Amino acid sequence: MGTAKFGEVKVTLDGEDYDINTPLPSEFNKQYELKFIVDETPNYEGLNYTITFEIIDRPDISEPDITDKTYTGNPYYIITVDDTFTVTGTTFATNVGNYSFTITPKDGYEWPDNTDVEKTFNWKITQATNEWTTEPKISKDKWGKGEEAGVLTNGVAKFGEVVMKLGDEIITELPTDIGTYNIEFIVEGNDNYTGLSKTIEFEIY
């Protein structure tokens, strides 16, 4: 509380006499005017000092809206951390799995249910179903040896590397000898995505 060189300091709150030794009001989202006054007399000038303040209600911490995710090859970021809470655990990930994180409100912040306890949230990324973005094919399924061969379109998958196999052997180009062939295009699946397989057949005579 202020003191003056001369005179007694009186205090008012919103125009009413106020005892400075009592707690200030605590109603949220309301503006208050606190005045410190020394009345003028023939011996000295008066003084008047005003403090205006407002008590802002801190917003509640919203619980994160968590839904299951599907693998995309890119990371998922589940929440944005701000200055109302601290977080431990896993809040972003790329690979398939089950994850969890814990939010602890900082002092003065609460959940919508008016509690300030730590809460743990679970989330997961599930396996994606793979697909061909370019399906393997050949322009014709029969040609004579020495004739123009069929044109191969190599397969491209949404996820993973495509391998071309003849039987158990990995090949990088089509055979040229006389015969009937079944060429398999394979993508090995894993925890993140399913596998793919397609077979094309052609004959060289």
Side-chain angles (χ1 to χ4, degrees):
M1 176 174 168
T3 57
K5 187 174 182 179
F6 304 110
E8 179 187 359
V9 179
K10 300 177 182 179
V11 183
T12 64
L13 178 65
D14 292 340
E16 301 290 334
D17 289 341
Y18 176 71
D19 181 356
I20 197 65
N21 295 312
T22 60
L24 287 169
S26 58
E27 184 177 344
F28 290 124
N29 303 317
K30 179 179 179 181
Q31 195 171 71
Y32 298 93
E33 186 178 76
L34 192 65
K35 284 189 175 183
F36 299 84
I37 304 166
V38 176
D39 291 332
E40 182 177 358
T41 72
N43 295 320
Y44 49 81
E45 294 180 342
L47 295 173
N48 192 318
Y49 185 80
T50 301
I51 298 174
T52 301
F53 64 95
E54 183 177 1
I55 303 172
I56 303 298
D57 187 11
R58 291 181 174 180
D60 290 334
I61 300 173
S62 298
E63 293 195 7
D65 182 16
I66 299 175
T67 57
D68 290 348
K69 311 298 181 184
T70 301
Y71 175 81
T72 65
N74 297 313
Y76 285 104
Y77 295 87
I78 300 302
I79 62 169
T80 300
V81 178
D82 59 30
D83 61 359
T84 65
F85 61 88
T86 59
V87 61
T88 57
T90 304
T91 59
F92 67 92
T94 301
N95 294 322
V96 167
N98 295 302
Y99 304 98
S100 67
F101 60 90
T102 299
I103 291 178
T104 304
K106 289 185 177 179
D107 289 345
Y109 293 93
E110 297 178 334
W111 299 104
D113 61 5
N114 297 321
T115 64
D116 60 0
V117 298
E118 66 178 32
K119 293 187 179 183
T120 297
F121 301 89
N122 299 310
W123 64 286
K124 64 183 177 180
I125 301 176
T126 59
Q127 186 185 53
T129 300
N130 212 349
E131 60 184 276
W132 296 109
T133 56
T134 301
E135 195 160 347
K137 61 183 179 179
I138 196 163
S139 60
K140 54 184 178 181
D141 59 9
K142 183 183 292 188
W143 64 88
K145 186 172 176 63
E147 296 178 356
E148 182 178 355
V151 177
L152 175 68
T153 299
N154 281 311
V156 179
K158 185 175 183 180
F159 304 111
E161 179 184 1
V162 180
V163 175
M164 185 167 60
K165 297 183 74 173
L166 177 58
D168 294 329
E169 181 185 358
I170 296 175
I171 60 175
T172 57
E173 56 185 26
L174 295 179
T176 57
D177 293 335
I178 291 174
T180 299
Y181 298 96
N182 290 290
I183 306 297
E184 187 176 13
F185 294 81
I186 299 172
V187 177
E188 295 289 346
N190 58 30
D191 289 342
N192 289 326
Y193 50 82
T194 58
L196 289 173
S197 176
K198 180 171 183 181
T199 301
I200 62 172
E201 182 179 345
F202 63 90
E203 178 186 358
I204 302 174
Y205 57 87

